[in-house]
């Protein structure tokens, strides 16, 4: 072994010798900091409109790649057992099929891990909309004692001690590993996850010919408004909160609402953030894209199937839920959709399925 190593060093010494003869003083090592900019229009579809990209964190290939490494790396957790991807799994649209996710030492959280895609357009994050910037958000799971339980000072030391991160941070930000650049890289990677390749995208904004008759009827139901007397209702009024290309009201002033799950509040949701009684039981409206992959549903994962969700809106809504959105109360009468209407609605929801998200190598584990 030893002998072999010397054999390698010998030519290296010789080359150094040649160089030092040519030059008087060695030149400073040229900084390898030359990140490759990523054109937003290359990754964000025009139909979505361009998202706001933070001016101080332009997307670069190296930045996104570093963020991707960090996302899949269990070194971010106390005992190096849990990565972001333990709970946000690509094969489930970056959600978790378990009602509650397991963090370090098998500890359980309190809410369902949402799927992650098209975050670049989002204005608030988490079910209770408590975060506004992805770079701030990442510190929550890292430090949460039931998730990754990591001390961030220790984390910085850990990253500095690993060769792979010394090189990757230098390439992405021109400096040695630090927490600020860690959060910016993760912000870049999270923003880069885009899901826009579904039948619904070929329909958008209104090419009804791509739909089967069932999907078309489901679409019309989804976008129809019920009157307060006709039952079964001729419109299911989903679009007020889940309309548009994102299938989600992104504007926080209309997207944070109660959809009537409980008469008695167990999770205060947005009310816990604002401290206001009229925000109790309100949650951020999720996107309805990729539902096929992201069961279970709602902030607490209470519904195992899309059928159960449709039954909730059709027959089980709690009209006495505190702060129920008026958009969901049509004269205190349930929608009472027929079995066929429910099937149509389901067929339409399934058009928002993008299987390429599950296999796109740009978001997959870089360590494999
Ligand atoms: C132990 C499981 C677990 C781990 C590990 C975890 N998350 Fe999460 N994540 C969750 C849960 C649960 C929520 C919802 C929490 C809430 O809303 O209060 C969530 C929410 C999010 C959201 C908000 C999505 C939205 O639509 O509002 C983002 C973004 C996110 N996580 C990214 C990350 C990143 C990045 C990491 C790694 C640093 C990470 N998560 C690690 C379980 C986890
Ligand atoms: C007034 C706004 C509003 C309307 C109208 C509305 N929703 Fe929702 N929807 C929400 C909110 C808020 C949530 C999250 C609630 C929670 O988790 O506590 C949600 C959650 C969901 C989910 C779960 C998604 C997930 O990832 O967990 C599905 C599916 C859904 N809605 C479908 C529908 C359908 C179908 C309709 C029409 C019949 C509809 N919604 C009408 C606000 C609305």
């Amino acid at each position: 072994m030893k002998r072999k190593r010397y054999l390698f060093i010998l030519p290296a010494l010789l080359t150094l010798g040649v160089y030092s003869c040519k030059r008087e003083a060695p030149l400073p090592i040229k900084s390898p900091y030359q990140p490759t900019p990523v054109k937003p229009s290359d990754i964000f579809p025009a139909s979505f409109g361009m998202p706001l990209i933070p001016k101080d964190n332009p997307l670069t290939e190296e930045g996104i790649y570093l963020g991707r490494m960090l996302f899949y790396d269990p070194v971010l957790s106390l005992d190096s057992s849990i990565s972001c991807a333990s709970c946000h799994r690509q094969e489930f649209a970056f959600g978790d099929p378990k009602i509650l996710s397991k963090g370090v030492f098998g500890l359980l959280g309190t809410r369902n891990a949402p799927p992650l895609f098209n975050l670049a357009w989002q204005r608030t994050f988490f079910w209770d909309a408590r975060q506004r910037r992805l770079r701030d958000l990442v510190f929550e799971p890292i430090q949460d004692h039931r998730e990754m339980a990591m001390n961030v000072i220790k984390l910085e030391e850990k990253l500095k001690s690993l060769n792979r991160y010394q090189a990757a941070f230098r390439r992405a930000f021109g400096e040695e590993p630090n927490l600020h650049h860690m959060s910016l890289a993760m912000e870049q990677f999270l923003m880069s996850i885009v899901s826009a390749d579904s039948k619904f995208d070929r329909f958008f904004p209104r090419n009804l010919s791509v739909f089967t008759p069932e999907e078309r009827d489901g679409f019309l139901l989804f976008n129809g408004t019920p009157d307060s007397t006709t039952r079964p209702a001729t419109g299911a009024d989903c679009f007020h909160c889940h309309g548009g290309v994102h299938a989600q009201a992104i504007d926080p002033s209309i997207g944070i609402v109660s959809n009537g799950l409980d008469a008695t509040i167990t999770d205060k949701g947005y009310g816990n953030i604002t401290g206001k009684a009229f925000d109790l039981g309100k949650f951020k409206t999720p996107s309805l894209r990729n539902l096929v992959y992201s069961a279970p549903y709602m902030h607490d994962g209470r519904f195992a199937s899309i059928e159960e969700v449709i039954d909730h809106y059709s027959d089980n809504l709690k009209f006495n839920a505190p702060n129920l959105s008026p958009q969901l109360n049509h004269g205190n009468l349930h929608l009472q959709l027929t079995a066929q209407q429910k099937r149509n609605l389901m067929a339409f929801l399934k058009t928002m399925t993008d299987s390429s998200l599950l296999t796109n190598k740009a978001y997959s584990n870089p360590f494999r």
Side-chain angles (χ1 to χ4, degrees):
M1 255 323 253
K2 260 204 175 139
R3 209 177 245 182
K4 261 194 195 153
R5 220 183 269 164
Y6 285 128
L7 282 178
F8 279 110
I9 290 172
L10 198 61
L13 284 174
L14 285 175
T15 341
L16 275 179
V18 173
Y19 274 118
S20 48
C21 290
K22 273 191 183 165
R23 287 185 188 142
E24 295 298 328
L27 288 172
I29 298 164
K30 186 175 176 289
S31 163
Y33 182 53
Q34 283 169 344
T36 323
V38 170
K39 265 205 355 239
S41 57
D42 284 349
I43 54 172
F44 300 128
S47 57
F48 283 19
M50 278 303 121
L52 278 180
I53 298 174
K55 284 216 170 59
D56 59 352
N57 196 19
L59 301 176
T60 65
E61 277 174 23
E62 294 78 4
I64 293 173
Y65 188 79
L66 171 59
R68 187 171 146 211
M69 288 171 71
L70 293 159
F71 186 86
Y72 281 96
D73 202 333
V75 300
L76 267 63
S77 66
L78 174 65
D79 57 358
S80 292
S81 66
I82 302 282
S83 72
C84 308
S86 307
C87 304
H88 298 287
R89 296 166 59 186
Q90 187 172 14
E91 65 265 48
F92 300 104
F94 294 101
D96 191 342
K98 296 198 204 77
I99 292 178
L100 300 175
S101 308
K102 267 196 189 133
V104 289
F105 311 127
L107 293 173
L108 293 179
T110 54
R111 291 185 183 139
N112 180 247
L116 306 179
F117 50 79
N118 304 343
L119 296 169
W121 290 270
Q122 306 261 346
R123 309 250 300 267
T124 63
F125 302 100
F126 289 130
W127 284 107
D128 53 16
R130 67 185 178 275
Q131 285 288 0
R132 303 233 154 193
R133 299 197 305 177
L134 290 165
R135 67 181 68 173
D136 303 327
L137 172 146
V138 298
F139 288 103
E140 282 207 40
I142 291 173
Q143 297 180 94
D144 189 315
H145 73 281
R146 287 158 314 192
E147 297 190 348
M148 301 166 106
M150 191 61 178
N151 173 304
V152 286
I153 308 292
K154 286 230 174 70
L155 175 56
E156 195 170 59
E157 285 166 13
K158 222 170 166 183
L159 294 174
K160 281 191 167 118
S161 74
L162 293 167
N163 287 335
R164 61 175 182 277
Y165 284 116
Q166 278 170 13
F169 272 81
R170 225 161 246 295
R171 276 196 294 271
F173 297 105
E175 284 175 31
E176 65 174 296
N178 62 74
L179 294 173
H180 177 58
H181 287 146
M182 176 196 77
S183 70
L184 295 189
M186 294 180 98
E187 180 169 76
Q188 288 191 35
F189 173 64
L190 292 169
M191 285 196 303
S192 78
I193 304 177
V194 170
S195 177
D197 187 12
S198 64
K199 190 181 225 185
F200 178 69
D201 291 287
R202 290 185 283 288
F203 151 81
F204 200 82
R206 213 182 158 85
N207 177 14
L208 279 168
S209 69
V210 304
F211 288 151
T212 65
E214 263 198 347
E215 290 163 356
R216 191 181 145 275
D217 288 354
F219 165 79
L220 294 173
L221 196 59
F222 187 94
N223 288 289
T225 316
D227 62 38
S228 48
T229 49
T230 317
R231 294 296 179 269
T234 49
D237 200 346
C238 311
F239 73 100
H240 271 117
C241 301
H242 298 288
V245 74
H246 292 287
Q248 168 182 36
I250 282 174
D251 183 346
S253 68
I254 49 172
I256 304 170
V257 291
S258 160
N259 68 341
L261 292 171
D262 296 306
T264 312
I265 284 173
T266 49
D267 185 333
K268 293 180 186 164
Y270 191 49
N272 209 27
I273 309 307
T274 65
K276 305 233 161 75
F278 60 76
D279 287 329
L280 286 175
K282 290 186 184 174
F283 290 89
K284 171 184 148 179
T285 304
S287 170
L288 301 189
R289 285 174 172 268
N290 298 310
L291 288 176
V292 168
Y293 305 123
S294 63
Y297 308 103
M298 304 298 167
H299 67 272
D300 52 5
R302 69 176 62 194
F303 297 134
S305 67
I306 305 175
E307 282 86 351
E308 285 175 54
V309 174
I310 293 178
D311 288 347
H312 162 70
Y313 285 108
S314 169
D315 312 304
N316 302 326
L317 220 104
K318 304 288 187 304
F319 292 121
N320 55 351
N323 305 313
L324 171 66
S325 164
Q327 232 104 51
L328 282 165
N329 192 348
H330 306 284
N332 268 347
L333 260 187
H334 290 300
L335 298 174
Q336 300 168 43
L337 302 177
T338 66
Q340 183 60 52
Q341 282 179 310
K342 289 180 183 180
R343 278 197 297 276
N344 296 345
L345 197 50
M346 170 71 97
F348 167 65
L349 292 175
K350 285 187 174 169
T351 67
M352 294 190 266
T353 306
D354 169 12
S355 65
S356 75
L357 175 68
L358 279 47
T359 50
N360 192 331
K361 289 255 185 309
Y363 321 137
S364 66
N365 189 339
F367 301 115
R368 263 187 214 141

